[in-house]
Amino acid sequence: MTVPVFPVSDPAPSLHRLAGVFDDLACVLFRRELGPDGRLTYPMVSPTLSRLVGHLVLQEGTSDLVHPADRPGLQEAIETSARHLTLCREQFRVVTANGETRWLRGASEPQRLPDGRIAWEGAWIDISAWMRADYEFKTLSEHPEEALFVLDQADQIIWGNTEAQHLFGHSLEGLRGRPFASLFRGGLPDLSACSLPGTERSGEGLAEREDAAPLLFRYSVRDVAVGDHGTRIVAGHDAQRAAPSDDAPPSPFSSDSDWFWETDARDCLTFASEQIGGVLGVKPSALVGHSWFEIGLDDTPEFALILRTCIEARIRFRDLVFSVGPPGGRDRRTLRLSGLPIFTPDGFYCGYRGIGTDITREVMAEHRAQRAHQQLVDAIESFTGAIAVYDPDDRLFICNPAYSQSFDPMGVFVKPGASFEQILHECHHRHVFDLGAVDFETWLADRLRRHHKADGEAFIVKLTDGRWMLSRECAMHGGGVVSIRTDITELKQREQDLDDLRRRYEVILDSAGEGIVGLDAAGRVNFANRMAGTILGRTPDAMTGMVFHDLINPDAPASSPLPTSAFGSGREPPFSTPLREACHSTVTAQVSTEIRRASDGCLIPVDFFVAPVAKDNGRAGNVLVFRDATERLRFERSREEQQRELERQVSVRTAELKGEIIVRRRVEGALRQSRERLKAMTDSLFEGVLVMDSQGQISFANPSARQLLACGEVEGHPLDSVLGIRTLQGDLPFVDSPLRRVLETGVTVRDDDAVFTTPAGAVLDVAYACSPLGEDGARRSAVLSFRDIQSLKRAQRELFQASRLSSVGQLAAGIAHEINTPVQYIGDNLRFIDEALGTVFTAIEEARTLSQALAQAGTNGAALEAAREALSSTIDRSNFSFLGAEVPVAVRESLDGVEQIARIVLSMKDFSHPGTSTKTMTDLNRALESTLTVSRNVWKHAATIVRAFQADLPPVLCHAGEMNQVFLNLIVNAVHAIEASGKPLPGTITVTTSTDGPFVEVRVTDTGTGIPEEIRERLFDPFFTTKEVGKGTGQGLAICRDVVATKHGGTLEAGGEPGQGAVFTVRLPVDGTPTDHEDS
Amino acid sequence: MDRPRVLFVDDEPHVLRGLMRSMSSMAGQWDTFFFASGPEALAWIDANGPVDVIVSDMRMPGMDGAQVLETVRRDHPATVRVILSGYAEESAILRTVGPAHLYLAKPCTPAALQQAIARPLALRERMTDPGLRSALTGLSNLPSLPAVYGEIEAELRSPLASARSVAAIIARDLAMTAELLRLTNSAYFSLGTPAATPLQALRAVGLETVQTLVLGIGLFRQFSGRPGDLPMLEALTRFSLDLAGRCEALALASGAPAELAKVAHCTGMLSHIGTLVLIDAHGAAYRTILPRVDVKNPLDRLEQETFGAAHGLIGAYLLGLWGFAPSLVEAVAHAWHPREAPAGGDNPLLGVLHGALALGPAPLLASTVEGTRPALDRAYLARVGLDSHVPAWQALISSPCSKGTR
């Protein structure tokens, strides 16, 4: 649903033109449009709305002004209007900037635009005031038990309240528009008799209810002006019911004491109506002939004079009062007379005619009231303070001079009738009050609030003349306020003096170096100076009212206040302290104790001087003067301590010295021990240890070093005089050796396979490590530790031999297979041949028998036949064609087998090359062939061998057996590489021989997966293997390199494309290089 | 019956032709076939049906002998499988322990080869039930007692294991003893004479090899049949151990040399391998026949009727396949009816086993003695010259202290 809003989406240009006009309009002009999409817009709204709601209704401001409760109604009105194109009457509330609601009522005329939109133009007016008044009136008028009617000028009923409706039994609709008089039987007198606004008239009439029941309606009428129109309000109630309130004034109709009277020209009564008898207790006739003076008017001289004057002047008189009867007697009556002179038509005076009323009761009531008032006045007058009474309307009723003078010495404005607020204003105007910093409006509001509250609470008002007033206001029964003021200036003054004095003392006490507290009889602090606060770690104000003992010892159980009397109730405090006892004492005492400081919880020593405050022979409290005893104690202590400290320092120093001596002894001992231990350690080391300084001078050598280097005491000698390091480049002196680098760079150098030479010419196989000792370059020294690895080397060589043997052993199984296979078929073939030969020999024998039989031809035909038969059967039985074909093949294959065995055996001899410890000129091609033969069983299922041998390869001087071992290793490795590669079998192993200058190269290439770059060098590490357990020791390549490099001065290198296979290349010098190991 | 078909596989043409020539003399009895590779041979078998015996080289490119035999075992379990190899790499040989019944080493004489082929063929003829024959030929191992199996595993893993300690455990289990002794029948491990005791076998084979075989290859198998059959297996083992002891004692009592007594012990121990096979495969059925045993229905006849063969024949067939000595196999086969043995049963092992069985207690869990053991054939014993020992035997067996003799 689209909620009406007031956006000024596109203010019409006319708005600008008319702006000046609109601005001052009391109503809001607007244009509203309803689009085809059901959207409501307000293209124009005059600025009055902004003013009305207290904020600018902006163009884009779609602030939702309409009160949510009124939106549906407004929407419906607009929709209805749009549907029927009828005038749209609208009434709704808007909410203003300050939260008020305002009623707008308006009307707008719809108009269908050519484009289908509907536009309204209209105006809203603010009816808030009217609505409010209407509301208030209705609210007020719903006073219980009082029927109210509002009548128009023609006395027709406009409205009647609930009670009126109830009383007459008509609904509001039934009453509305009906002449008021029609409610009554026989009508009513004209109500317009009293026509002055504000005046009131009463009456009573017999009305008839809706249900025809009679109703005696007593009413009063008041005319009120509403705008330009007069309106009449009738209030009333059922007269037969008890009066709604006791306070209601007795109705004038109820009076029955009025009487008429007439006098004659001599001013004597000629007539008095009957009622007078009841008043005066005499028959009216008894009065005839007497003048009013005689009856008692003379007793009231001022009235008698008036009457006499009036009578003489023959003018009308009114309300003359006089009394009859003995003064103070019960029969005394007070009468009130009014009279009119009567003249004959010709102007002849013939007496007065008038009425009289017995106003005894009224007079007496008035008299009593006057007396009461007088008593009040007297009371008030006699009140020493200022007193004033304000009536319920807040007007000053009475006050005594003290009251008026307190504000208004001149008696200008404090007068009965003046309102309280007026008085205050006047006072302020004359600067009576000292408002201090408070502005008058606030002060006034507060003052009025107090006044209306009137709860008797005392408050103090300061006047500009320096006086102080204590004011107390009390509500009176039945409304009104009694205001009592007492001038407390002196009191205030004294208080201030006292305050000044106290402050002066405070300043004095605060400046005191001691803490001073005053305690009351219960031990509560009623005063504490600043120092007390400082010492106790509290603010003095916070201490006031606290039990002092609790303050100084907050950890103690909450103590009850001290007994008020020193002689006590027998109720002992929970614990007793010297301070507490001193407080109970009636003599001054000094106590030193520790208290707990509140601020940091520290216990501090305090000296207390406790003095009792005596009062009426008793103890009214104590004054405690105390000071922080820390300083005193410290001072006292410091003197003792200085002495003690001196003694202590001396003893400590002595002890320290003793300790130092002991420590030094111990350190020296430890040093000695450590040195001895070190010496023992180095002495017992198998390794040689040398320490040298930066210049290469030996500063220490252990026995092992001396023994290994075969030298004596070398300390102080240069290193070169003891050892040199042999490398391929020759023997290096210290200056060129890696040891010097250690001294220069501080980096440890180690070599697990080095050679030391001694000046005596000895050669040592060593592993050494050289580490820097000491920190900075110039003074750095180095430790060289080395061990003889000759035996290790020997073991390595033995290992090589062992591995050679083991590989031969491993080969043996393969070789056995290689030999077993030919043996198998040779045996098979030989047995076959054997059998075949047997058959052949049988056949030959039979043939010979046949031949012999033929030779003896004719002799024995049967024998011949038998021989022929035998041969024929042998030939039939024996598949000679098969034998003829198979036997030669069997023989040939057997011979092949024998050859193969012979070759294998020869290769074995070649391979192991037994019996040579020196290098021999070796045909490497043949060596390789032998190796391939003996290892055939290793490779035959894994690889095809391609031999690329250089035919004219020169013989090489080498250890043939060891080189064969190297080749075998390379071939076995190649086989393993191919088997492990996962490539289809068989792979290819290419063995190449070639010459390269003075070198012969043997290359073994496989088709495995090659060697990753990163492990290429580690391959030759003695303890590196890529082989799984059971595939050899993995020592192979290390040994091979040792053989090739060390024994033959050649090289063994690994290469090849990773993934494509490995290439191992052996380079040997053709002429063989003699090495140092030749002899070993 | 068709002539037996024997198939040879060897990648070395010379060897193959040599075999062909050496087997040509057997051409009258067997049909022989020769192939240069495993796949060729298997293809031929697939096309022409199973052969009775296959003899294969071990080391061949592509498919080696173990693979060929394993394939044949799987597809044609009834085929007797023999390895003939000159190659001696241990790991390769160990792989054949399962699939091959026999391992022959090159060079091998035609006579030895022919015998190795002829012997199982002869057993075949007695083992007429093809199903049973197939099952037995296809067996790769026998079930061991779980407790002993656990012990042997633990012992073999123990760093303190020794040949003696391992052998002591193996000797307590029927299957393990048989498997271990079988190894020594192979040319590779053989010291010339087959081992008669587990300890001898262990020393021949080597502890490490046994460790590899048991822990790595799974030479032994734990009994995993129904728990209800386990007590029967345990009783059988006790009985076999007891029988082995009796056999040895009887052999010694008959004046046999210690070596022969050891073999007699071994014979007694292995004599009920057939029962082990039956319990393993048909434990429930075997239990049902035990109560039916009586004089008129002796155990071996009931076994024969129920399973197609008695335990003696089954055991003998298996032992024959595994290359055990013919005398031992014969003793096992004919222990109940020694006079039916070929050559009149002139075999001291047979006599001793027969005596030990006939004079000893009932086997297994049978409550009755009658029918669960053969009747003593005095006539047979008299013929083979053992009759005179019978009183001594009886005395020995009734004496309680003989029980534990080994």
Side-chain angles (χ1 to χ4, degrees), chain B residues 68-69 75 81 102 111 117 137 145 154 174 187 193 206 210 222 225 237 269 295 340 355 362 377 387:
Chain B
V68 174
L69 295 197
D75 297 342
R81 305 173 297 273
L102 265 183
I117 294 168
T137 319
L145 289 172
L174 212 50
T193 49
V210 173
Q222 188 174 353
T237 307
M269 183 73 182
V295 182
E340 290 172 12
D377 190 343
D387 194 26

Side-chain angles (χ1 to χ4, degrees), chain A residues 842-980:
Chain A
T842 306
I844 289 171
E845 194 55 39
E846 282 164 353
R848 199 162 57 88
T849 310
L850 181 61
S851 152
Q852 284 171 351
L854 283 174
Q856 300 158 5
T859 56
N860 193 342
L864 180 66
E865 183 56 24
R868 196 199 58 81
E869 197 59 37
L871 181 60
S872 160
S873 110
T874 300
I875 290 169
D876 284 350
R877 214 165 357 97
S878 314
N879 192 347
F880 274 107
S881 61
F882 171 73
L883 292 179
E886 272 311 297
V887 167
V889 179
V891 170
R892 200 167 54 245
E893 286 182 357
S894 300
L895 291 175
D896 283 354
V898 170
E899 246 173 66
Q900 194 183 337
I901 291 169
R903 193 169 63 242
I904 291 168
V905 171
L906 192 64
S907 295
M908 283 171 72
K909 180 177 167 288
D910 271 359
F911 177 77
S912 55
H913 209 89
T916 53
S917 57
T918 53
K919 289 177 180 172
T920 53
M921 294 307 285
T922 306
D923 178 357
L924 289 189
N925 284 351
R926 184 176 158 174
L928 284 164
E929 191 59 61
S930 298
T931 307
L932 286 171
T933 302
V934 298
S935 62
R936 179 168 179 269
N937 203 55
V938 175
W939 51 258
K940 76 172 174 186
H941 292 297
T944 311
I945 302 290
V946 175
R947 295 171 178 81
F949 294 164
Q950 184 183 318
D952 56 348
L953 195 74
V956 175
L957 187 64
C958 65
H959 294 285
E962 294 186 2
M963 283 316 298
N964 283 339
Q965 188 67 36
V966 171
F967 298 146
L968 175 67
N969 256 313
L970 298 182
I971 287 164
V972 169
N973 278 347
V975 170
H976 289 165
I978 287 168
E979 283 174 345

